[in-house]
Amino acid sequence: MNSLVIVLAAAVCLIAAYALYGRWLARKWGIDPKAKTPAVLHNDGQDYVPTDGWTVFAHQFSSIAGAGPVTGAIQAAAFGWLPVLLWILIGGIFFGAVTDFGALYASVKNDGKSMGLLIEKYIGKTGRKLFLGFCWLFCLIVIAAFADMVADTFNAYVVTDGVRTLSENATVNGAAGSISLFFILFAVIFGVSQHKLKLTGWKEVVFGLVCTVLAFVFGMNFPVILGKEMWVYIAFLYIFLAAVLPMWFVMQPRDYMSTFMFIGMIAGAVLGLLFAHPSMNLPAFTGFQNENLGTLFPILFVTVACGAVSGFHSLVSSGTSSKTVSNEKDMLKVGYGAMVLESLLAVIALCVAGAAAGADGTAAAGTPFQIFSSGVAGFLEMFGIPVYVAQSFMTMCVSALAFTTLDSVARIGRMSFQELFSVDDMEHAEGWRKVLCNKYFATVITLVFGYILTQVGYSNIWPLFGSANQLLSALVLITLCVFLKVTGRELRTLVPPFVIMLVVTFTALVQRFISLVKAFSDGKGVFMVEGLQLIVAVLLMILGVTIVVTSGKELLRKRASKSSAVSA
């Protein structure tokens, strides 16, 4: 089948969903363009910053469009491209976009409260503490997986039989790493200039493009050749700064500039598919069982992950984006729009992998990142772009996907840790509580535990990431159900996604738990790999069950109290 047909059909479905279903939800829930948003009411120049709607969209998309839509779609294609495509479209339209939009909407309507504080308001303090603990643990998993991924992408060395030598892609990887460093530097310049000069419209776009191009030019000409360990340290240093500095200083401008790269990457892939119109060489369906991944249910759903639905997105929606939306009318494009665009990115990644596969259906060799970046780089070369430039650009793009998620999740992890120990009257709180709630201390603790989990390795921690991510979406959905129930808004569309996600994720976690226990019983388990995974899996299951039971009781109680009031 022609890959271009798949992309166009997917684009039509997603655009129609935004125009019809997204706007229907907005009408049912109620959007007030004249209302003062939390960003306007609590403008502090740090977390609460009124921002142009498209800039917030760029931040939201850059933060949520991490490695998930690329990695997940390509990995799940082992079951065939058809089930992956169907789940991306159905999940993105009815699960993911609804969750993201709902989390943003609930937060904006509740003074910019994060999901943890929303749970305290609508479910109770116990539910809030449990959820914040779950969120913090989830953030550690994301930091570990994506930091390891970024460092591995920039790594210029390979180890063969214990001997460390430069890899054949050392210069390209080093250039991508160097571009990342210059990108951060020019993002700071862009952010400070934008903050002081109040750049808007075409001036903002032009200056952002100039900074993006300069970072690319300098990085390509001055590659930084370093090993994986050093890149891990650099990544953690950056996300520490991103977690404690004001949003406008580095995160927002970096996300804004990243959007230009993502547009270039997506445009390159789309144009390549348009002009080359390669065939989808991957088989449509390979069966319900895969030797490497396991059973189609539930593994397909948790592997596709962010391309269809992601609990992490709700943390971005309620943790950062809700505090920068300056007008409620922007919530639809930020919440629902950014998610359907990410679903389109997942479809494009699937088609690029299909084009790279052999004519006999054999998948291309390499990691999902390598398959995607080399595939799009090949498309760019068709238009006369030099090989080195195309490879450096694409390597930087795919790593930028992970980097933009890393800085957001580090900030959200820090905030979750602070909220976990905070009380209403922090001015008269105990000394130890003030220390734990200090943003620098909370950031260091979060990153230290995240670094420990990097020892597990990206490939080993990804299954847990997928399961935890989907479970988080289920927990967010039940919270949104309570919020909508209490405020008298439409909630029926959220119940099926909640139930399905709950069944999928607990099944996946139980399967993972059994496989890890079996590894130890067979004498193959290693504490720093299987041991850490087992601990995290058990904690996720315990926290998940407790939160669902607590939330379910509260939802039933509110329904019963409302019925009693009506009867009276």
Side-chain angles (χ1 to χ4, degrees):
M1 187 173 183
N2 194 310
S3 296
L4 179 61
V5 174
I6 297 174
V7 172
L8 291 178
V12 170
C13 290
L14 294 169
I15 293 170
Y18 176 84
L20 301 175
Y21 189 50
R23 288 178 178 170
W24 178 81
L25 286 173
R27 285 195 303 270
K28 282 289 184 179
W29 291 348
I31 298 290
D32 184 4
K34 296 180 181 179
K36 289 187 176 181
T37 64
V40 175
L41 292 172
H42 307 293
N43 185 0
D44 60 5
Q46 296 286 323
D47 294 318
Y48 292 86
V49 183
T51 308
D52 173 72
W54 287 110
T55 302
V56 182
F57 172 86
H59 162 72
Q60 176 83 2
F61 176 69
S62 297
S63 297
I64 68 175
V70 172
T71 301
I74 293 177
Q75 283 186 326
F79 291 107
W81 64 264
L82 185 57
V84 176
L85 176 66
L86 291 175
W87 174 235
I88 289 172
L89 295 179
I90 295 172
I93 292 168
F94 298 106
F95 290 63
V98 174
T99 306
D100 294 7
F101 181 33
L104 179 63
Y105 181 86
S107 181
V108 170
K109 289 293 187 181
N110 282 274
D111 220 25
K113 286 182 171 64
S114 67
M115 194 52 61
L117 292 176
L118 287 173
I119 287 179
E120 178 178 5
K121 179 176 179 178
Y122 293 104
I123 296 176
K125 290 189 175 181
T126 301
R128 174 203 171 198
K129 294 292 185 183
L130 291 169
F131 183 81
L132 288 172
F134 184 95
C135 285
W136 187 68
L137 183 61
F138 173 73
C139 286
L140 301 185
I141 295 173
V142 178
I143 289 171
F146 284 33
D148 186 75
M149 186 187 311
V150 167
D152 206 34
T153 302
F154 297 158
N155 180 26
Y157 295 91
V158 292
V159 178
T160 306
D161 298 327
V163 180
R164 190 185 189 215
T165 57
L166 280 174
S167 71
E168 60 180 17
N169 293 321
T171 304
V172 171
N173 293 351
S178 181
I179 294 170
S180 293
L181 298 180
F182 280 108
F183 204 73
I184 295 168
L185 174 62
F186 280 103
V188 172
I189 295 172
F190 178 55
V192 172
S193 301
Q194 192 180 38
H195 186 70
K196 298 295 183 182
L197 303 177
K198 308 297 180 184
L199 299 174
T200 58
W202 68 269
K203 295 178 182 177
E204 182 183 35
V205 173
V206 170
F207 191 50
L209 274 171
V210 168
C211 289
T212 303
V213 171
L214 287 176
F216 186 72
V217 170
F218 277 106
M220 256 201 339
N221 286 283
F222 301 99
V224 177
I225 309 298
L226 295 172
K228 180 177 178 178
E229 299 81 5
M230 186 57 67
W231 281 117
V232 168
Y233 297 143
I234 292 173
F236 272 84
L237 175 61
Y238 163 68
I239 59 177
F240 171 80
L241 295 174
V244 299
L245 290 170
M247 287 280 293
W248 60 264
F249 189 78
V250 63
M251 276 188 66
Q252 279 188 339
R254 189 184 182 283
D255 290 343
Y256 186 86
M257 290 166 55
S258 295
T259 305
F260 293 125
M261 298 187 67
F262 295 159
I263 290 172
M265 177 184 71
I266 294 173
V270 171
L271 288 173
L273 293 171
L274 180 63
F275 287 98
H277 47 83
S279 299
M280 168 57 78
N281 294 324
L282 291 171
F285 182 61
T286 61
F288 291 96
Q289 180 74 32
N290 181 268
E291 184 179 351
N292 296 321
L293 296 181
T295 56
L296 185 143
F297 179 87
I299 301 303
L300 170 73
F301 301 91
V302 297
T303 302
V304 171
C306 309
V309 57
S310 169
F312 165 68
H313 296 183
S314 65
L315 302 184
V316 177
S317 295
S318 65
T320 56
S321 296
S322 65
K323 297 173 178 60
T324 56
V325 169
S326 59
N327 192 306
E328 286 192 9
K329 65 181 176 62
D330 294 326
M331 289 194 291
L332 178 61
K333 69 184 175 191
V334 172
Y336 201 98
M339 179 60 222
V340 294
L341 182 58
E342 179 173 3
S343 293
L344 181 60
L345 174 60
V347 173
I348 291 171
L350 175 66
C351 290
V352 170
D360 60 351
T362 304
T367 66
F369 264 18
Q370 290 170 335
I371 294 171
F372 183 71
S373 60
S374 61
V376 180
F379 290 155
L380 294 176
E381 290 170 31
M382 290 169 44
F383 301 104
I385 297 176
V387 175
Y388 176 60
V389 174
Q391 290 180 341
S392 297
F393 175 74
M394 282 309 305
T395 304
M396 173 55 207
C397 281
V398 294
S399 61
L401 289 170
F403 242 130
T404 48
T405 299
L406 264 177
D407 54 22
S408 291
V409 82
R411 195 178 192 92
I412 292 167
R414 181 264 289 179
M415 294 168 70
S416 297
F417 188 86
Q418 287 177 291
E419 289 183 18
L420 188 60
F421 296 99
S422 67
V423 291
D424 293 335
D425 186 12
M426 283 301 298
E427 186 177 346
H428 300 97
E430 302 93 326
W432 63 268
R433 195 179 295 276
K434 289 182 177 179
V435 171
L436 292 177
C437 291
N438 177 274
K439 72 175 182 179
Y440 299 102
F441 183 85
T443 303
V444 169
I445 288 294
T446 300
L447 297 187
V448 165
F449 279 95
Y451 175 78
I452 292 172
L453 282 180
T454 59
Q455 308 309 303
V456 175
Y458 158 71
S459 59
N460 290 315
I461 209 167
W462 185 262
L464 279 179
F465 162 75
S467 300
N469 195 19
Q470 309 297 299
L471 179 55
L472 183 58
S473 69
L475 302 180
V476 170
L477 283 168
I478 194 172
T479 304
L480 294 177
C481 284
V482 178
F483 159 70
L484 295 173
K485 181 70 176 178
V486 169
T487 56
R489 293 179 169 93
E490 175 64 43
L491 65 84
R492 288 171 297 177
T493 55
L494 270 65
V495 176
F498 157 66
V499 174
I500 293 171
M501 282 295 92
L502 204 59
V503 173
V504 164
T505 51
F506 272 110
T507 304
L509 281 172
V510 169
Q511 285 185 351
R512 189 64 179 168
F513 172 80
I514 293 172
S515 67
L516 291 169
V517 170
K518 188 175 185 299
F520 277 103
S521 65
D522 293 342
K524 300 177 182 177
V526 178
F527 177 76
M528 286 302 292
V529 180
E530 286 81 9
L532 287 177
Q533 291 182 74
L534 184 60
I535 292 171
V536 173
V538 170
L539 288 174
L540 289 174
M541 286 190 288
I542 293 173
L543 286 170
V545 169
T546 309
I547 294 170
V548 170
V549 171
T550 304
S551 304
K553 287 181 178 178
E554 185 63 20
L555 183 59
L556 293 174
R557 187 186 69 79
K558 291 185 184 298
R559 178 176 295 177
S561 61
K562 185 175 181 179
S563 298
S564 300
V566 172
S567 300

